[in-house]
Amino acid sequence: MKPFDFISAQKKWKKQWEKEKIFEVKSSSFSSNRSKNKYVLDMFPYPSGEGLHVGHVEGYTVSDIVSRFYRMRGFNVLHPMGWDAFGLPAENYAIKNKIHPEIVVKKNVANFKRQLKNLGFSYDWSREINTTDPNYYKWTQWIFLQLFKDGLAYEKEVSVNWCPSCKTVLSDEEAEGGVCARCSTKVERKELKQWMLKITAYADKLIDGLDSLNWPQRVKTMQKNWIGRSQGARIQFSIASQIDTDFNADKSGNNRGNQSANQRESEFVEVFTTRPDTIFGATYLVVAPEHKIISNLKSSIENFNEVKKYVEKSKNKSDQERISEVKDKTGVELKGIKAINPATGKEVSVWVADYVLPYYGTGAIMAVPAHDQRDWDFAKKFNLPIIFVISYDGKNVIDNKVYEEDGILISSGKFNGQKNREAISAITDFVGGKKEIQFKLRDWIFSRQRYWGEPIPLVFCQHCAGKINNKNEKIKNFSKGEILNPGWIPIKESDLPLKLPKVKSYQPTGSLSSPLAGIKNWVNTTCPRCGGPAKRETNTMPQWAGSCWYYLRYIDPKNNKKIIDIKKEKSFMPVDLYIGGVEHAVLHLLYARFWHRFLFDKKIIKDPEPFARLVNQGLILGTDGEKMSKSRGNVANPDDIIKEFGADTLRMYEMFMGPLEDPKPWNTKGILGILRFLNRVWFLYQKHFNSKTAKPHSQKTESDFENKFNQSLKKITEDIENLRFNTAISALMILLKELESLDYFSKEYAQKFILMLSPFAPFISESIWRDVLKNKKSTLLSKWPEYNLKKSFAQTIKIAIQFNGKTRGVMDFLPGTQKEEILKIVKADNKFENYFKGNEIKRVVFVPDRIINILF
RNA sequence: GGGGAUAUGGCGAAAUUGGUAGACGCGUACGCUUCAGGAGCGUAUGGGGCAACCCUUGAGAGUUCGAAUCUCUCUAUCCCCACCA
């Protein structure tokens, strides 16, 4: 007999399935009850030139098995696919080869699609989307406009990575290690006006929303840490300057910003702390190099030149350099000025140091060296005073190292003797502090100085800017966004999409703007408000934008009136199962949740969270146990494996490798096990059901077999529900052995077994199902077999016989056999004679259907 | 520095969630079959011992009739965040 011909089966069924359109979800599903529907989603790929990776295959096989399983159980399953095709690689390729990114993307998409179809994935291709399609990014731009109108988009000076040799802005990934990824030149920092999205406005909702989600704990924790909510207080330290008359805070801009010109208050520094309880031990202040106090008190700072030098140096430091200094902190004292500790009333020195971050809290801290490691290090280095205010027993301190634990307050005036945590609130009030919650999360930098992205649909109009800035003008016709960003006017929604213009060169312009800035007739336009001359925004959106909402568009991909019909959205959202790599634990999954929450608040959609259940597949490593990479030469290519062993074999092997979420090394030999298994299935059906080779048989199926079959069916059903595919496959293998040992193989069980195999190995299953067993419709349109619970138990049960806790034998019993009866049989068995000799039974531990443990 | 995860044969891994440790697969050995090929089938396969038995789930302790599983103390590896006040 010839082994199964995978290649021609793949060809045949691929075509047939397409013709029968069996992967398309019924349109009536979109008006049906949510409980009848399932939404199984993959993280859509970036269509790179390399094609599909075995890691993609892992995730996509999981979602395909689950989709097929649910379909066979009678659900309407939405299982779509699309392309996240904006972004750097295509642009870089375009620069190098002078080919339009659109052409490159088209080619890569075609290749990916070919590969996905070869694997038999049951995607509904009629809902395919592409983030670079103007009909799609029209709505990405539309969402941006809603965010803008609501005041959630604003412009801000941000420092960016700049490569002086390539003359271009670099992303953080391109600037890793402080050098340009392309030319290894040292990366510089440059200040640039960028669009920001106010994701911080959603910080609370994004943390609180996590509770309701069935996500891996580690991803939830990562998001929580990333958002970084912490309870603390703002406390003011007033500044005493020796040259008080030189103050001119208002002229140079006050750091509180809104004081009137005449009313001069003395300068102060506001700090943020989570530990107001330690304030009596605050022996100095540290401000970030960017802190306004430095320029405000310029003339009071005696060593201003030295300070200025330090500030300049810090600004040019890469993140890498800053991190390498964690152990050895740098800083300069602001000589000539002192701050007053509001708790003790004593003068403390003020320092500038770049270990204080400008964007967190107030950009200034009170340093309590006795109880904070960083402050301790800094104080030791610069010989600053250290005062212990928490003691483990209220009396003594160990003064040769930092004490970070809780305890009893000392040297803290009227708070002495209290537990430090319990005194936080009272001490905050005592020093006039304001309780506040701070987040680590920073607003989302949304501009990219690139060509290959969604154009930002705004124009700048000088005339409108003047109107908004003129206080006498009535500005109530303007949106929040327009008032927040004077001069920036959104283009009309009816003019969307704002298409990317063709450009001659994708080469960076060398200035800080995108290649779009060079297209004069595109940049120059008219203002949608006043009709006057205006200029378009030339930056584009980041790659994350398109992936923030693509899962919504699959539900209603052709709607050109609305982003999505809420009625349709209701019948499929939230996503039942979302599968992808952990690498998106924070960025993509947080940005998507942010946009989703916003759309929810705007009542465009009905559910506040997009992904009810998230699963991360584990990384597939090379045969050497290392991460697969070209340079290591340990990359397994799906195309090669499909050619040699077949798509079913690849799918099943990847599922058999180990638990879904664990990292797993590739083993080329291991594939053979699956190949053998599938061929044995093929031979079994040839033997029994091929009209030329099959022999007639007449026996009835034994009831013992029925029980074994039902047991396997139950296990496989439950394993698929719990995404435990490795053990499901092992159960299929055991079952196959059972089937091979049968003389008579009834058609009923032959059918059931193939249906059970079909989600894993759709091609061979379809061949057997339709060509050998002569069924008309696909396995996918057939019902998943139901197990008979009564028959899913073994007829006899093995019970372990233990003496003094050690297993000495195993015996078969009927399920539910009583303790006394088992004991009688064990005693009568001469195998165990020796154990009873000369011993008196003290106790018998019995677990029904499991063990009997006889103790002497 | 903080957070999270993992650790079981030569290898990938199972273990009904406290009840026969090593299912299933790979590899290996021996045998069978064939016009010999990296094919197919069968048997064996954690370690030690002739044996009855003993040892064995990263190391060490504890709880229990019974621990891979629970508790404590270590060790190693991996991932994420990283001067967040």
Side-chain angles (χ1 to χ4, degrees), chain A residues 346-370:
Chain A
K346 283 187 185 142
E347 281 192 351
V348 298
S349 56
V350 182
W351 293 69
V352 56
D354 61 12
Y355 83 87
V356 174
L357 306 171
Y359 44 77
Y360 185 76
T362 58
I365 60 157
M366 63 176 211
V368 185

Side-chain angles (χ1 to χ4, degrees), chain A residues 88-358:
Chain A
L88 266 184
E91 179 160 341
N92 285 339
Y93 188 87
I95 291 169
K96 221 170 139 190
N97 302 294
K98 305 206 187 315
I99 297 173
H100 196 284
E102 212 177 285
I103 295 166
V104 180
V105 164
K106 225 179 185 170
K107 203 182 100 204
N108 291 348
V109 162
N111 186 42
F112 263 72
K113 206 166 164 180
R114 174 190 65 80
Q115 291 183 301
L116 293 175
K117 285 188 172 177
N118 278 345
L119 280 155
F121 294 140
S122 58
Y123 293 121
D124 181 348
W125 288 109
S126 71
R127 306 183 164 268
E128 175 180 0
I129 55 160
N130 185 326
T131 56
T132 66
D133 176 353
N135 290 323
Y136 178 86
Y137 69 65
K138 167 182 178 177
W139 297 105
T140 312
Q141 291 173 327
W142 182 85
I143 296 172
F144 176 83
L145 287 186
Q146 310 313 309
L147 288 160
F148 177 86
K149 286 175 187 166
D150 274 28
L152 290 168
Y154 64 96
E155 260 198 317
K156 194 190 165 190
E157 288 267 327
V158 182
S159 102
V160 295
N161 302 305
W162 170 259
C163 173
S165 159
C166 300
K167 291 196 174 26
T168 182
V169 177
L170 301 176
S171 69
D172 285 343
E173 296 82 63
E174 292 173 298
E176 226 178 312
V179 289
C180 173
R182 271 181 264 168
C183 66
S184 301
T185 309
K186 200 170 163 233
V187 172
E188 291 173 5
R189 307 291 298 176
K190 287 214 173 189
E191 294 284 310
L192 188 59
K193 268 205 163 178
Q194 308 257 39
W195 284 102
M196 307 289 289
L197 291 189
K198 219 171 187 168
I199 188 171
T200 51
Y202 279 81
D204 270 315
K205 286 180 177 175
L206 289 173
I207 283 195
D208 297 338
L210 288 170
D211 291 336
S212 67
L213 302 177
N214 180 6
W215 284 21
Q217 192 50 51
R218 78 198 127 120
V219 175
K220 288 199 201 180
T221 313
M222 270 190 223
Q223 291 214 350
K224 253 179 211 166
N225 291 344
W226 187 267
I227 297 167
R229 177 158 63 188
S230 58
Q231 174 68 248
R234 280 170 180 260
I235 297 169
Q236 290 185 356
F237 281 62
S238 51
I239 296 293
S241 157
Q242 276 145 17
I243 329 167
D244 210 45
T245 48
D246 277 348
F247 267 36
N248 208 338
D250 302 314
K251 214 195 221 160
S252 52
N254 189 294
N255 74 344
R256 283 193 303 169
N258 53 3
Q259 281 179 10
S260 86
N262 318 333
Q263 188 188 33
R264 219 201 65 207
E265 251 177 49
S266 62
E267 197 65 48
F268 60 83
V269 171
E270 194 173 43
V271 303
F272 175 76
T273 179
T274 54
R275 300 293 305 277
D277 51 312
T278 62
I279 194 165
F280 285 86
T283 54
Y284 59 100
L285 294 192
V286 190
V287 301
E290 292 83 353
H291 201 278
K292 290 224 168 84
I293 190 88
I294 295 169
S295 53
N296 286 4
L297 295 184
K298 194 171 169 174
S299 45
S300 306
I301 299 169
E302 290 165 8
N303 56 341
F304 187 73
N305 281 340
E306 192 193 351
V307 170
K308 199 177 154 194
K309 242 194 203 160
Y310 180 82
V311 170
E312 293 297 320
K313 216 178 120 193
S314 313
K315 275 190 185 158
N316 283 320
K317 270 187 202 169
S318 67
D319 291 349
Q320 200 73 20
E321 286 170 293
R322 282 185 103 152
I323 288 162
S324 66
E325 281 167 8
V326 169
K327 286 266 147 56
D328 190 26
K329 298 194 184 350
T330 59
V332 175
E333 185 177 359
L334 306 180
K335 287 186 180 144
I337 63 169
K338 295 276 181 196
I340 312 294
N341 182 326
T344 61
K346 283 187 185 142
E347 281 192 351
V348 298
S349 56
V350 182
W351 293 69
V352 56
D354 61 12
Y355 83 87
V356 174
L357 306 171

Side-chain angles (χ1 to χ4, degrees), chain A residues 726-746:
Chain A
N726 54 334
T727 50
I729 291 170
S730 129
L732 282 169
M733 287 170 165
I734 294 167
L735 189 53
L736 175 66
K737 251 186 207 167
E738 204 62 49
L739 298 176
E740 284 173 332
S741 71
L742 294 176
D743 296 327
Y744 173 66
F745 189 17
S746 76

